[in-house]
Amino acid sequence: MTTVEESERGIRADVTDVLVRYATGVDRRDWDLFRTCFTDDCTADYGEIGVFHDLDSFTDRWALVHSHCGPSVHRITNCDVTIGESGVTARCYVDAVVTTPDGSRASHAVGWFDDELVETADGWRIARRRYTMILLHTIGNEGRGGGPASDIEAIRALKGRYFRTLDTKDWDEFRAVFTDDLVIDTTGSGGPRIEGADEFLAFLRTGLAEAVTVHHGHTPEIELTSATTATGVWAMADLVRWADGSQLTGYGHYHETYRNDGNGWRIASSALTRLRMDFTPAAAE
């Protein structure tokens, strides 16, 4: 006959296995194994990295992110499992190192997971997770002029190339500043949301091919979120003058994410919000 103490010991062992299995699935890029750690309707809150409300979107995002990385090591330690009347909770520490594809640099993140788990027909699964990060820094390349400072400078140059190639209508070079899975959101300034770099290029060429444009970016706030990802906010001002003489002058901010897949930094997403827009109609004939 199993005692309460033996039963709880078994639960703690099973839950700890789920937490370690998560790390194994990520490091092996075994997304089927990864899925066995969570319920289908799980919520995973990784703060600025992202919040996911179902297993499919969570798995797809993790697979995409890690497809642009080299080898990784996630160490799960200090698993504190609490069995209560309302369910099982766990806190474990995570110490992760994720390298770039060429192995020259790595992102080192330290924090902890707070998890709520439920028992299913297939065993214990994480229903809700919240990640708290206490340390994130880039390691490697110290002696070769690399590291965070050079990455931030490369992202600044990337955005400068965006402005230049857009205004000069150098469409091939303009396309090269984006990842293929680019997401553009201009709903905050009255425009559309577009998925895909080719789709965005086609949209701009239709609307701006015959227009004169001037885009300025200022006071960038760039933060590296890993060795291969970053976020940025740019103050912006633009002027667009169409062939009929109508003109738009605007001011606002770009809110962006960037990704380095081993071939340089690219813009992965960009959301444009506006503080002011002034439109001058074409002169009446």
Side-chain angles (χ1 to χ4, degrees):
M1 183 174 180
T2 303
T3 66
V4 172
E5 182 178 350
E6 289 173 333
S7 176
E8 290 187 351
R9 188 181 303 120
I11 292 173
R12 288 190 173 90
D14 291 343
V15 169
T16 299
D17 179 67
V18 173
L19 303 177
V20 174
R21 191 162 71 241
Y22 161 84
T24 303
V26 174
D27 291 337
R28 292 180 180 174
R29 310 301 193 258
D30 186 340
W31 303 115
D32 289 335
L33 182 65
F34 175 90
R35 293 178 68 93
T36 68
C37 301
F38 300 92
T39 62
D40 289 340
D41 60 349
C42 67
T43 297
D45 182 352
Y46 280 72
E48 292 185 359
I49 299 173
V51 181
F52 310 93
H53 298 286
D54 62 81
L55 181 54
D56 288 339
S57 62
F58 184 28
T59 305
D60 289 347
R61 177 65 179 277
W62 248 225
L64 175 62
V65 168
H66 288 87
S67 70
H68 299 285
C69 301
S72 63
V73 176
H74 288 72
R75 290 182 287 265
I76 303 295
T77 62
N78 295 15
C79 299
D80 181 16
V81 180
T82 301
I83 303 171
E85 294 182 0
S86 58
V88 173
T89 60
R91 170 175 287 190
C92 64
Y93 294 170
V94 57
D95 186 342
V97 176
V98 182
T99 65
T100 55
D102 63 3
S104 64
R105 290 175 294 117
S107 172
H108 182 206
V110 178
W112 60 76
F113 294 128
D114 285 308
D115 295 324
E116 298 178 24
L117 298 99
V118 296
E119 189 174 19
T120 72
D122 297 316
W124 288 94
R125 298 289 186 267
I126 300 168
R128 280 170 291 280
R129 160 166 286 184
R130 181 170 184 175
Y131 174 52
T132 300
M133 185 186 300
I134 62 171
L135 172 68
L136 175 67
H137 67 109
T138 301
I139 55 179
N141 248 355
E142 289 84 351
R144 293 186 287 171
S150 64
D151 285 329
I152 290 174
E153 187 58 35
I155 292 170
R156 288 175 176 158
L158 171 70
K159 191 63 178 179
R161 193 157 61 252
Y162 164 93
F163 292 127
R164 174 179 58 81
T165 56
L166 172 58
D167 290 338
T168 60
K169 310 300 186 293
D170 187 343
W171 298 119
D172 289 339
E173 286 296 313
F174 182 72
R175 170 63 177 83
V177 307
F178 303 110
T179 62
D180 291 342
D181 59 346
L182 171 74
V183 175
I184 294 290
D185 186 354
T186 60
T187 56
S189 59
R193 185 179 188 275
I194 302 173
E195 296 186 8
D198 292 334
E199 290 75 9
F200 180 51
L201 181 59
F203 170 77
L204 284 185
R205 294 187 72 160
T206 298
L208 298 181
E210 302 302 323
V212 175
T213 63
V214 179
H215 289 78
H216 287 178
H218 309 278
T219 58
E221 303 170 59
I222 299 170
E223 180 180 355
L224 299 176
T225 53
S226 77
T228 58
T229 58
T231 62
V233 179
W234 294 76
M236 62 82 67
D238 61 348
L239 181 150
V240 181
R241 186 177 180 86
W242 286 274
D244 65 359
S246 60
Q247 179 172 300
L248 169 69
T249 304
Y251 309 88
H253 293 89
Y254 290 106
H255 304 262
E256 300 186 322
T257 64
Y258 312 96
R259 192 167 71 230
N260 187 339
D261 61 3
N263 296 310
W265 288 96
R266 300 287 186 270
I267 299 172
S269 69
S270 183
L272 175 60
T273 58
R274 293 284 191 176
L275 298 173
R276 182 182 177 92
M277 289 193 294
D278 297 317
F279 183 75
T280 303
E285 295 184 358

